[in-house]
Amino acid sequence: MRYALLISYDGTNYGGWQIQKNAVTVQQKLTEALTEALGCKVSVTASGRTDSGVHAAAQVCHFDAQTTIPPERLADALNPLLPEDISVLRSAAAPEGFDATSSAKKKTYCYRVYLSPRRNPLKDRYSVWVNYQIDLDKLKKVARLFEGEHDFKAYCAAGSQVKTTVRKIYSVEVKTDESRLSQDIEIYVTGNGFLYNMVRTLAGTILYYAAGRISGDDILRSLNECDREAVGKTMPAHGLTLENVDYGVKLF
């Protein structure tokens, strides 16, 4: 039988999602917990890989197993076996033909930064400190340029092996919240798929434009001519969170 899990994790202490030889990963810890809880070796598959240091509010994964534990109670069986920075939020029997990777229709990531003249240690775990001037109106305006289907080769880390670098972005939304000590910025990006470091580079490009470090023509050139020199910096991993995976059906 196939089961689906909705999990959340703080990626700070992990080398990303996927099991690897030289780092502790989220997939490794979840696999170990499943194997212990079910008493058999289990292979678990996620909607996609998150990189080292990247967080997830709602990662979706599946596994196949035979167990007498009710599907909705699997979360309770797994959580005592997981470290405190990983939690199964919900569990369920997966629909017929469900695959956490190939069945995904849309994914939403959020990149978080805060504007402040001085660093705030209480924000640093899940957002990135920016201490240069940002034009918030320009920030929101430029985000729309990335919507639609584009070749995002300029936004993909060198050495990435993919069949195509064309992706469709359904929306890029910038939200701001000004507190007494900082200006918090959230950049939400929803697409049909993402390249390695794509969202982090896209966020850096938006911020560079709003800071006057690159122009609108630079961004258009990066999309139309795949010019890597026309994009902003790739932002640090800890500001990125996988927020949602949409399958077009209710899973949990």
Side-chain angles (χ1 to χ4, degrees), residues 1 12 48 62 88 96 113 138 140-141 146 181 184 196 198 210-211 222 225 231 233 239 250 252:
M1 183 173 177
T12 304
H62 79 256
V88 181
E96 183 73 25
V113 302
K138 290 180 67 177
K140 294 180 179 181
K141 181 180 178 181
F146 296 95
L181 297 176
D184 298 332
Y196 182 46
M198 177 176 160
S222 73
E225 302 176 22
V231 304
K233 69 176 288 187
K250 182 176 175 58
F252 304 101

Side-chain angles (χ1 to χ4, degrees), residues 156-161 196-197 228:
C156 180
S160 179
Q161 296 181 345
Y196 182 46
N197 283 356
R228 179 72 179 181

Side-chain angles (χ1 to χ4, degrees), residues 104-136:
K105 307 295 184 185
K106 300 178 182 178
K107 295 179 185 178
T108 299
Y109 280 89
C110 179
Y111 199 88
R112 293 178 169 88
V113 302
Y114 68 97
L115 310 181
S116 173
R118 296 173 184 85
R119 187 180 65 82
N120 185 335
L122 296 184
K123 292 181 178 291
D124 279 347
R125 198 169 183 90
Y126 305 110
S127 60
V128 174
W129 175 40
V130 171
N131 63 346
Y132 50 81
Q133 193 67 33
I134 293 290
D135 185 324
L136 296 179

Side-chain angles (χ1 to χ4, degrees), residues 79-199:
N79 282 333
L81 305 174
L82 289 166
E84 292 185 353
D85 48 10
I86 303 174
S87 181
V88 181
L89 304 179
R90 295 181 183 178
S91 55
E96 183 73 25
F98 175 78
D99 183 283
T101 305
S102 61
S103 299
K105 307 295 184 185
K106 300 178 182 178
K107 295 179 185 178
T108 299
Y109 280 89
C110 179
Y111 199 88
R112 293 178 169 88
V113 302
Y114 68 97
L115 310 181
S116 173
R118 296 173 184 85
R119 187 180 65 82
N120 185 335
L122 296 184
K123 292 181 178 291
D124 279 347
R125 198 169 183 90
Y126 305 110
S127 60
V128 174
W129 175 40
V130 171
N131 63 346
Y132 50 81
Q133 193 67 33
I134 293 290
D135 185 324
L136 296 179
D137 290 333
K138 290 180 67 177
L139 192 73
K140 294 180 179 181
K141 181 180 178 181
V142 75
R144 302 296 298 274
L145 290 179
F146 296 95
E147 296 178 352
E149 189 171 85
H150 302 285
D151 188 339
F152 286 95
K153 184 177 181 180
Y155 294 81
C156 180
S160 179
Q161 296 181 345
V162 292
K163 292 181 179 179
T164 176
T165 50
V166 174
R167 296 291 186 272
K168 186 171 185 179
I169 299 300
Y170 299 105
S171 65
V172 182
E173 183 180 6
V174 177
K175 298 181 179 181
T176 60
D177 181 22
E178 185 172 4
S179 67
R180 183 172 60 89
L181 297 176
S182 67
Q183 180 83 49
D184 298 332
I185 297 172
E186 297 179 331
I187 303 172
Y188 289 88
V189 185
T190 300
N192 64 353
F194 297 95
L195 303 166
Y196 182 46
N197 283 356
M198 177 176 160
V199 178

